[in-house]
Amino acid sequence: MTAKIIDGKAIAAELRAEVAKGVAKLVGDGGPTPGLATVLVGDNPASHTYVRAKRKACAEAGIDSFPHELPATATQDEVESLVRTLNADPKVHGILVQLPLPPGLDEEAVLKSISIEKDVDGFHPLNIGRLAQKGREPLFVPCTPAGCLVLLKKAGAKLEGANAVVVGRSNIVGMPAALLLVKENATVTICHSKTKDLPGVVRSADIVIAAIGRTEMIRGNWIKPGAYVIDVGINRKEDPTTKTGYRLVGDVAYEEAVEVAGAITPVPGGVGPMTIALLLQNTMHAAQRTA
Ligand code: NAP
């Protein structure tokens, strides 16, 4: 069997086009131009790249972006005070604090200081809490896990009653992905570094979400034939044939898994492009809510 390839790039492009249309309609109807404030603390090069990409995508969708940069030496007070200013700014509908924050800053306190109406990353403890509770709905859902769910649905996965295994329990990917699957009535197992017989657990899954950060750890013979596999991992693998000396691969051994799975996301071009698309959608929803 050869898996269907879930084209995250194409699905994200469709979603971004829909957001651009939604934004044009909102503004055309006299509503506000959605605005996203980005807060970048310190000089982590990867964070700078991510924020640049997010701002470019905003511009393409007709969303204003307001960049704010603080030095790595910024105090907790300075970061939270910037967030409070943005909370009060009516042009700003969404606030994105790029993680990780430099050592010494209290990430939880910063995320908590974001107004939940502007928490377009969905990391505020109230939004995560609502995601975890039955019968409650968060205002925003974290973008990467939400992107995983969009990909599964677009690929035609039946979530209700499915056995889903999420490998990884981070606050930003694994745990919210598991909570979203529970909301879709899947039966969910969450695995982590202390899980016993990981291959055996993964083999039971109709749906696998891999969010580990370990190069090609999930092998083809761990995958149940026909399973839907969503690979969130982004890892560098040495490759002397490339200019950079490396290429990006996921947490799943793609070449093996593609022979067994029913559907699978590639890396790159799978989950990665979805994160920004969902951020744009969340920002548009935040602006629509104020209109
Ligand atoms: P993280 O915070 O480091 O979490 C990794 C998780 O994997 C942890 O829960 C850890 O378990 C678990 N784990 C580590 N080694 C394991 C092992 N040998 N067996 C089973 N579980 C193991 O990472 P993250 O932020 O969730 O990111 C995961 C991956 O997704 C990374 O490659 C990252 O680059 C990528 N990512 C991609 C996007 C995107 O596509 N847009 C966004 C975010 C992240 P413990 O909890 O026990 O430590």
Side-chain angles (χ1 to χ4, degrees):
M1 164 167 209
T2 304
K4 170 174 154 187
I5 311 304
I6 306 173
D7 186 348
K9 220 170 147 185
I11 295 170
E14 254 172 51
L15 186 55
R16 283 166 65 158
E18 273 171 33
V19 171
K21 258 197 214 156
V23 168
K25 177 161 184 344
L26 177 67
V27 174
D29 290 348
T33 300
L36 176 72
T38 55
V39 177
L40 188 49
V41 188
D43 35 39
N44 179 330
S47 294
H48 276 268
T49 309
Y50 293 142
V51 168
R52 250 197 321 275
K54 287 167 184 175
R55 296 193 53 219
K56 182 167 174 273
C58 279
E60 284 166 14
I63 294 174
D64 286 337
S65 64
F66 307 104
H68 294 269
E69 291 188 17
L70 292 173
T73 52
T75 63
Q76 185 74 23
D77 234 27
E78 284 166 337
V79 181
E80 288 185 30
S81 141
L82 171 58
V83 170
R84 278 194 297 275
T85 306
L86 298 171
N87 282 341
D89 185 342
K91 292 193 299 302
V92 171
H93 301 94
I95 301 172
L96 178 143
V97 176
Q98 185 64 43
L99 302 178
L101 291 170
L105 290 172
D106 179 347
E107 178 186 299
E108 190 184 351
V110 171
L111 295 177
K112 212 168 138 189
S113 69
I114 299 173
S115 147
I116 65 161
E117 284 82 15
K118 298 191 179 188
D119 176 38
V120 287
D121 250 345
F123 295 149
H124 190 290
L126 268 179
N127 275 324
I128 292 287
R130 287 184 186 178
L131 184 61
Q133 286 177 315
K134 197 172 174 187
R136 306 272 160 79
E137 289 302 328
L139 292 180
F140 301 100
V141 170
C143 301
T144 302
C148 295
L149 270 282
V150 172
L151 292 177
L152 283 169
K153 287 179 183 175
K154 289 268 182 191
K158 190 175 174 306
L159 302 180
E160 186 165 316
N163 282 333
V165 169
V166 179
V167 191
R169 56 175 165 181
S170 72
N171 292 337
I172 60 168
V173 193
M175 190 57 76
L179 294 172
L180 280 169
L181 286 165
V182 171
K183 275 217 188 298
E184 296 288 340
N185 296 318
T187 303
V188 182
T189 305
I190 303 172
C191 300
H192 44 76
S193 63
K194 307 289 185 286
T195 297
K196 289 197 176 123
D197 185 23
L198 186 61
V201 179
V202 173
R203 258 179 223 123
S204 71
D206 306 310
I207 291 167
V208 181
I209 295 187
I212 317 164
R214 298 270 183 276
T215 302
E216 297 173 335
M217 197 181 100
I218 296 184
R219 312 306 307 244
N221 63 7
W222 299 18
I223 304 291
K224 178 170 163 179
Y228 285 74
V229 179
I230 304 292
D231 189 353
V232 186
I234 304 175
N235 310 292
R236 284 181 177 189
K237 184 177 181 182
E238 261 184 46
D239 184 348
T241 67
T242 65
K243 246 197 232 158
T244 50
Y246 68 86
R247 65 192 166 91
L248 294 180
V249 299
D251 290 339
V252 178
Y254 181 85
E255 301 300 334
E256 297 173 10
V258 77
E259 300 298 329
V260 191
I264 187 168
T265 55
V267 177
V271 176
M274 295 302 290
T275 302
I276 290 185
L278 270 292
L279 174 70
L280 300 179
Q281 190 180 55
N282 279 351
T283 306
M284 177 180 73
H285 287 161
Q288 284 170 335
R289 213 171 269 137
T290 66

